[in-house]
Amino acid sequence: MKHKVSTTVNGTRREHEVESRLLLVHYLRDVVGLTGTHIGCDTSQCGACTILVDGKAVMSCTMFAVQAEGKQLTTIEGMAKDGELHPLQQAFWDEHGLQCGYCTPGFIMAAAYLLSQNPNPTEDEIRRGLEGNLCRCTGYVNIIKSVQSAAKTMGGAKAKPAGRPAVTAGGE
Amino acid sequence: MAVSQLVGARIHRREDPRLITGHGRYTDDLPHQGVVHLVVVRSPHAHARIRSISIDAAKKAPGVLAVYTAPDFKDIIAGPATFAVAPVFAPNKLTNPPRYPIAAKEVCYQGEPVAVVIAGERGQAADGAQLVDVDYEVLPAVMDIEAAAKPGSAKVHSDQPDNIAWDTTYVPWEATEEAFKTADVVVKERILQQRLSPNPMESRVVMAEYDSFDKRLTMWLSTQNPHWIRLFVAGALGMGEQAVRVISHDVGGGFGSKISPYPEDFIVPACAKLLDRPVKYTETRTEAMQNAYAGRGQIFDVEVAAKKDGTLLGMRVTQLLDAGAYMALFSAFQTCACLMAGGAYHWNAISSRSQAVLTNKIPTDPYRGAGRPEATHVAERMMDVLALELDMDPVELRRKNFIRKEEFPYTQNFGLTIDSGDYETTMDKALKIAGYDDLRKKQKEQRKHGKLVGIGLSTWIELCGLGPGAATGPATGGVVLSESAQVKIHPAGGVSIYVGTHNHGQGNDTTHAQIAADTLGIPMEQIDIRHGDTNEGPGFGYGTYGSRSLAVGGIAILRSCNKVIEKGKQVAAHLLEAAEEDIVFDHGKFHVKGAPDKSKALGEVAFAAYGQLPAGMEQGLEAVAYFEPPNFVWPFGTHICVVEVDAETGAVDIQKYVAVDDCGNVINPMIVAGQLHGGIAQGIAQALFEEMVYDDESGQLKSATFLDYAMLTANEMPEIQLDSTVTPSPTNDLGVKGIGEAGTIASTAAVINAICDALSPLGIKHVDMPATSDRLWLQMQRARGASSNGKEARK
């Protein structure tokens, strides 16, 4: 059975008819056509598909597309604005925070949420904040550095999520 | 080479902008008009006979376009589907069971394909796959390698004589008789290397399209070596290589698991041909864990003979290797563990034997390090076992036996020549950074308070940069692992370089451009590096594995650039009205010897190269070079790990990790550090967490999701202090060595040696990997039990 779902993806309103069982990550990749959000596992353990739903980090494989009705979704494609990289993107580039790059969008989105909640995280807080994301290439060393560097650039307290302030409702 | 401007600099990666913005081109991201989806029906049993397969219900399922089983592929995969090539040595015994991409009569590992379902949507194909009804007669699963090796064991394949895949004695035991007879001390240990899931974050994806009008096949897939895949697929499908194009854009990690061909690499293009529609297969994580060629899976029995003063005399090493159900492409490369087991040290003699045993599991194949982590673990564990026996500091034991700086090139016991090294200097630097003497003093104090603190060293060496023809030719059935590059300088001066290596995270697009930019004396931005498309560039590319992209691939780039410069000199001579032998190329400009003012830039020469030239001179400015290295390259280093084991829980806390490594000249230090971080993380994960666990009876993989298979997270990764020494390789023009696998090769031994050192007051001499807290707790309980029976354990 198909259902109508309306969402806002990276600031653009989207309306589609989708099957009940369609996962949000497949909706984004196959229906909306935004393939920057990757799939790394079947069991919600790797965090590769992390996006922001109303400002909160959510693994988009844990939600059905229909549950995103009326939500504001931010994917990696929505992070750079007017040709300017988001400070986190810039930091991952500067600090060699990626190798194969497959897990990177998920890390950037998870880190964006982390910094929105805690603009000046300690190293330990960064490690714990990112423990839901797996990377097989970097040993996390430069990912942690990237987040530290972005936190500095974003000027601590100024840092709020790219979209709108976090609200309590979300697909966690 | 021109004066260095970019080589050695921390240049940011040119591949990153697309990857950080979500615009990577991983195979699953590629849009494709009209593509249909294939789901594989896999055996749930590790070993079974197929009585019958009923596909009627599946065929009628919504959206299902086709259901195929083995007989449907008879005419289309008619050639040999190459999965394995000749092993690297002349074995005393060899069994290479035949393998077809899709099982017809017997399945020999859990996950082996038995049917495929193709539908318009992936969900529909998955629904259809549920309806394929296979009647199996379950056969005994052969899981334990020691049992499988025994005569009379149940068989992995019912049509094979036994389960012994190979048995090779490199040097017989008699050769070490003298060493063991004259030894003051002999130590023995059994060292396990658990099976590992490679787990690149991107699982495999294969997409294929057949053009029935032009009779051409295009494949997109996640592989480390597209040309090899083209060779095998063309052969299996009875097509010429010229009609097969394999494209591998961005690949989300490989670690060795994306070298060998997989059943789907043959099945998907065959289905595209059968259906005359583009077909795509996307692997799930559980499929990847069941079906990706696994790493390690070995047991080593090792004996070391030495004098009382620590002088090493002899070693005997037996490798018992879990080959899995079939041999994979480079299964046999793992035997290099036997040839490298002597590590960085002098030995009078080493005897070694490798025996590989078939089991009802997915085959093992090279996984980051492949044979060399195992060798390092053997050598470095045995150093510490011996040091403990002799009551000698492990540092001094190593120092006493190191191959010395002035002895290089040094031919070791198995006839392999180590190009260059300076093991002592590197170790001393690491000791200094770690504060080794203070650590030992502190440890003494901590032990008084019952703290289980340990210090572990790994003075690793590695053979990489595969590799010289004499060594690799026999291993691949004749194709030597050289590397190719093609440079094209276009009329307006733009440069396209096509490389035969692949880039799946190593940063080659950047380091290769650094080499080319310095050689051609032009800005990096003017150079495009292309990989991963068999329709572009030289006739064959060998791919990326074995830490070869720089030490082999980089040299091919350098040489192709130099060839272009030579051609450029002819054109410049014509433009400058001088003799060709008087033309000098320097910093991107050609000038007449002694007259640097009168010069032509590379771009001007390029433009002229496509214009009117003197009679007999060909137009164009391009060149292809192949580089076959004369030897392997041999990086080395010292890793020092400090751990505390919780006396109550067995949890391991890594308190310090220092790595001083030497990979010769460095092209980009940022990338070298990144490779080391990741490699060390993978080694730590093997030492402490990861293990593929199968059910002994049914042969089911129990660790088939990330919930059950413990991947390292940011929480467990310790801080790493890196430093380096530089000992160039004399065997290539850049003086470089490989660094991709080094961290993994070095780190398991450092961690386990530290844990063993921590537990030595309890009388524990060895621990196996993964050293999980429950295992260590159990081992400590047993040791304490033993000590309460009379032996004093805690000092």
Side-chain angles (χ1 to χ4, degrees):
Chain A
M1 190 187 154
K2 297 236 174 186
H3 305 269
K4 211 178 100 183
V5 59
S6 314
T7 61
T8 304
V9 184
N10 301 330
T12 306
R13 216 176 138 70
R14 304 276 188 170
E15 269 190 38
H16 292 100
E17 294 255 315
V18 300
E19 270 200 54
S20 328
R21 68 175 177 178
L22 187 73
L23 295 176
L24 182 56
V25 64
H26 287 131
Y27 169 73
L28 290 168
R29 290 178 56 82
D30 302 337
V31 180
V32 182
L34 295 173
T35 54
T37 303
H38 296 144
I39 301 169
C41 72
D42 330 318
T43 49
S44 303
Q45 254 106 35
C46 80
C49 65
T50 304
I51 64 166
L52 300 183
V53 177
D54 287 342
K56 289 189 84 167
V58 172
M59 294 185 195
S60 58
C61 71
T62 60
M63 265 177 87
F64 290 113
V66 292
Q67 291 177 293
E69 173 63 33
K71 307 271 189 210
Q72 298 272 344
L73 311 179
T74 309
T75 70
I76 187 70
E77 289 93 341
M79 294 299 275
K81 293 267 186 308
D82 306 321
E84 284 271 315
L85 292 177
H86 184 279
L88 270 162
Q89 291 172 316
Q90 187 67 48
F92 270 70
W93 191 8
D94 292 344
E95 300 294 339
H96 189 28
L98 63 148
Q99 288 180 29
C100 85
Y102 195 79
C103 70
T104 310
F107 267 99
I108 290 177
M109 301 315 288
Y113 177 65
L114 171 71
L115 295 184
S116 75
Q117 300 304 300
N118 181 358
N120 293 303
T122 63
E123 185 184 321
D124 205 45
E125 286 166 341
I126 294 173
R127 286 174 185 272
R128 272 187 277 127
L130 298 178
E131 71 182 350
N133 292 65
L134 296 178
C135 169
R136 193 59 153 171
C137 295
T138 63
Y140 307 99
V141 177
N142 288 345
I143 291 178
I144 295 163
K145 263 194 217 164
S146 302
V147 178
Q148 286 170 327
S149 152
K152 213 180 264 176
T153 315
M154 289 162 74
K158 268 199 311 200
K160 280 284 149 195
R164 38 188 266 190
V167 291
T168 43
E172 279 187 326
Chain B
M1 200 162 151
V3 177
S4 260
Q5 294 167 359
L6 297 169
V7 164
R10 188 186 192 276
I11 304 286
H12 289 154
R13 300 201 323 170
R14 48 168 48 194
E15 42 272 80
D16 286 359
R18 69 176 183 273
L19 302 178
I20 52 178
T21 53
H23 296 98
R25 292 171 303 160
Y26 303 94
T27 306
D28 201 33
D29 300 340
L30 303 173
H32 210 87
Q33 197 75 36
V35 74
V36 295
H37 298 268
L38 179 149
V39 166
V40 181
V41 179
R42 300 178 180 281
S43 168
H45 305 293
H47 195 196
R49 199 166 284 127
I50 300 170
R51 286 205 194 100
S52 65
I53 304 177
S54 169
I55 59 169
D56 295 345
K59 270 181 141 170
K60 287 181 207 144
V64 169
L65 300 165
V67 182
Y68 298 129
T69 59
D72 297 305
F73 294 99
K74 249 193 186 136
D75 295 332
I76 202 144
I77 309 181
T82 304
F83 284 102
V85 287
V88 69
F89 44 76
N92 309 107
K93 156 120 182 38
L94 179 66
T95 306
N96 186 1
R99 183 180 182 190
Y100 197 71
I102 188 157
K105 292 180 188 152
E106 188 174 339
V107 285
C108 294
Y109 65 91
Q110 186 200 17
E112 186 157 10
V114 292
V116 295
V117 178
I118 300 161
E121 289 176 25
R122 195 170 161 214
Q124 293 171 327
D127 290 344
Q130 297 286 321
L131 299 171
V132 173
D133 189 11
V134 187
D135 183 15
Y136 293 102
E137 176 195 344
V138 177
L139 299 172
V142 179
M143 305 307 287
D144 181 76
I145 43 177
E146 286 185 283
K150 290 198 177 115
S153 157
K155 287 193 285 183
V156 171
H157 294 261
S158 41
D159 60 353
Q160 294 295 318
D162 56 36
N163 299 324
I164 307 298
W166 70 67
D167 195 338
T168 300
T169 298
Y170 291 100
V171 176
W173 262 226
E174 297 83 71
T176 41
E177 223 161 73
E178 173 78 18
F180 279 84
K181 226 188 278 171
T182 55
D184 298 323
V185 55
V186 171
V187 287
K188 294 183 189 186
E189 201 51 73
R190 167 163 273 214
I191 294 170
L192 306 185
Q193 285 279 342
Q194 76 272 34
R195 258 188 182 243
L196 300 176
S197 243
N199 282 330
M201 290 313 299
E202 180 209 28
S203 299
R204 295 177 54 259
V205 181
V206 185
M207 182 161 71
E209 179 169 34
Y210 185 70
D211 180 336
S212 55
F213 183 77
D214 276 341
K215 300 198 172 13
R216 297 171 71 90
L217 173 74
T218 306
M219 275 177 84
W220 296 260
L221 84 165
S222 181
T223 179
Q224 298 176 223
N225 29 241
H227 288 86
W228 284 104
I229 299 298
R230 181 185 67 177
L231 182 67
F232 298 138
V233 169
L237 269 58
M239 299 176 72
E241 286 158 294
Q242 75 286 353
V244 178
R245 179 181 185 187
V246 177
I247 300 171
S248 171
H249 286 142
D250 289 324
V251 170
F255 310 111
S257 71
K258 293 174 181 173
I259 301 172
S260 288
Y262 284 85
E264 299 82 12
D265 299 356
F266 302 105
I267 292 171
V268 173
C271 288
K273 229 175 148 179
L274 281 170
L275 273 177
D276 202 8
R277 292 189 69 163
V279 175
K280 179 167 156 181
Y281 163 72
T282 305
E283 189 178 61
T284 66
R285 176 58 59 186
T286 291
E287 282 184 300
M289 292 176 119
Q290 285 177 351
N291 296 287
Y293 298 122
R296 321 288 187 254
Q298 297 157 42
I299 300 173
F300 290 88
D301 283 305
V302 197
E303 287 181 78
V304 165
K307 285 192 204 167
K308 242 186 296 189
D309 68 355
T311 306
L312 299 173
L313 297 174
M315 178 189 259
R316 287 171 170 168
V317 54
T318 308
Q319 176 188 41
L320 187 62
L321 186 145
D322 181 351
Y326 301 95
M327 299 213 357
L329 197 59
F330 291 131
S331 292
F333 182 74
Q334 301 173 91
T335 59
C336 74
C338 290
L339 309 179
M340 298 285 295
Y345 314 104
H346 291 117
W347 299 87
N348 290 355
I350 303 178
S351 302
S352 74
R353 174 186 175 195
S354 172
Q355 191 180 39
V357 184
L358 297 167
T359 56
N360 290 114
K361 303 174 204 166
I362 188 72
T364 53
D365 209 26
Y367 163 66
R368 201 170 193 174
R372 292 149 292 164
E374 295 93 315
T376 302
H377 206 78
V378 164
E380 295 306 302
R381 272 304 296 131
M382 293 316 287
M383 284 304 113
D384 276 29
V385 169
L386 179 63
L388 189 67
E389 181 72 24
L390 294 171
D391 197 20
M392 202 170 162
D393 188 308
V395 167
E396 292 321 309
L397 181 65
R398 283 169 168 82
R399 195 186 299 285
K400 189 174 183 69
N401 291 287
F402 270 151
I403 300 161
R404 291 184 309 275
K405 185 183 173 183
E406 60 276 14
E407 293 177 275
F408 295 99
Y410 179 83
T411 302
Q412 47 94 291
N413 297 69
F414 293 92
L416 296 164
T417 300
I418 306 175
D419 57 353
S420 63
D422 185 358
Y423 304 154
E424 206 172 355
T425 301
T426 305
M427 181 173 78
D428 284 335
K429 193 165 184 182
L431 292 170
K432 198 173 163 204
I433 293 169
Y436 184 75
D437 294 338
D438 289 341
L439 285 172
R440 284 288 180 208
K441 272 181 217 148
K442 203 170 145 199
Q443 183 188 37
K444 242 182 210 168
E445 284 305 305
Q446 288 167 315
R447 278 183 174 169
K448 281 181 196 158
H449 299 100
K451 283 199 170 214
L452 300 174
V453 177
I455 304 156
L457 264 83
S458 172
T459 46
W460 66 280
I461 71 166
E462 175 193 356
L463 148 169
C464 67
L466 316 185
T472 56
T476 61
V479 177
V480 305
L481 300 180
S482 75
E483 198 47 85
S484 61
Q486 180 177 26
V487 178
K488 293 180 187 173
I489 305 190
H490 307 294
V495 179
S496 300
I497 299 184
Y498 304 89
V499 298
T501 53
H502 192 274
N503 180 7
H504 36 279
Q506 294 85 348
N508 299 341
D509 289 2
T510 304
T511 47
H512 285 167
Q514 287 177 255
I515 294 168
D518 271 7
T519 311
L520 297 171
I522 55 173
M524 250 175 89
E525 293 67 34
Q526 220 170 306
I527 301 168
D528 188 28
I529 303 282
R530 302 277 303 174
H531 73 269
D533 185 344
T534 59
N535 265 24
E536 293 181 344
F540 198 79
Y542 298 75
T544 284
Y545 39 82
S547 305
R548 65 192 307 281
S549 297
L550 175 59
V552 190
I555 311 304
I557 291 166
L558 177 70
R559 291 191 172 193
S560 58
C561 289
N562 282 332
K563 276 189 178 178
V564 156
I565 291 168
E566 286 312 304
K567 171 72 192 288
K569 281 182 184 170
Q570 292 177 18
V571 179
H574 158 65
L575 294 176
L576 295 166
E577 295 172 337
E580 189 189 328
E581 53 273 23
D582 291 335
I583 301 295
V584 176
F585 181 74
D586 185 27
H587 283 78
K589 284 180 177 167
F590 296 90
H591 65 80
V592 181
K593 208 183 285 172
D597 297 347
K598 203 182 165 195
S599 71
K600 293 282 177 192
L602 185 65
E604 293 175 276
V605 168
F607 190 75
Y610 292 90
Q612 188 76 51
L613 293 170
M617 200 185 289
E618 275 182 35
Q619 271 76 19
L621 195 55
E622 57 188 84
V624 174
Y626 280 74
F627 174 65
E628 189 209 321
N631 188 5
F632 298 106
V633 288
W634 299 74
F636 60 93
T638 294
H639 289 209
I640 299 176
C641 179
V642 181
V643 302
E644 180 172 352
V645 180
D646 188 310
E648 301 304 319
T649 67
V652 175
D653 177 29
I654 297 181
Q655 298 182 330
K656 191 186 259 296
Y657 198 103
V658 173
V660 178
D661 298 298
D662 191 321
C663 60
N665 291 332
V666 169
I667 306 298
N668 187 327
M670 177 189 83
I671 284 175
V672 168
Q675 291 295 307
L676 282 166
H677 292 151
I680 291 168
Q682 261 168 306
I684 290 174
Q686 179 182 5
L688 297 182
F689 305 114
E690 291 183 31
E691 181 170 31
M692 287 177 80
V693 181
Y694 289 89
D695 183 80
D696 293 336
E697 288 290 311
S698 69
Q700 302 279 314
L701 180 65
K702 296 198 283 190
S703 55
T705 70
F706 283 146
L707 193 61
D708 307 300
Y709 187 89
M711 297 272 282
L712 190 86
T713 76
N715 249 345
E716 290 92 34
M717 184 65 185
E719 198 182 311
I720 306 287
Q721 284 173 269
L722 293 182
D723 212 317
S724 62
T725 58
V726 178
T727 309
S729 172
T731 63
N732 64 60
D733 303 336
L734 292 170
V736 294
K737 300 183 176 184
I739 200 67
E741 299 161 290
T744 315
I745 289 167
S747 52
T748 62
V751 175
I752 296 295
N753 278 343
I755 294 172
C756 292
D757 186 42
L759 300 184
S760 62
L762 301 177
I764 292 170
K765 290 183 178 169
H766 180 70
V767 302
D768 278 314
M769 299 186 285
T772 55
S773 57
D774 58 324
R775 279 193 188 172
L776 293 184
W777 179 82
L778 204 63
Q779 217 172 335
M780 290 192 297
Q781 289 295 97
R782 286 191 185 130
R784 284 165 183 149
S787 74
S788 65
N789 287 341
K791 263 164 80 187
E792 195 211 344
R794 250 193 239 224
K795 297 213 169 97

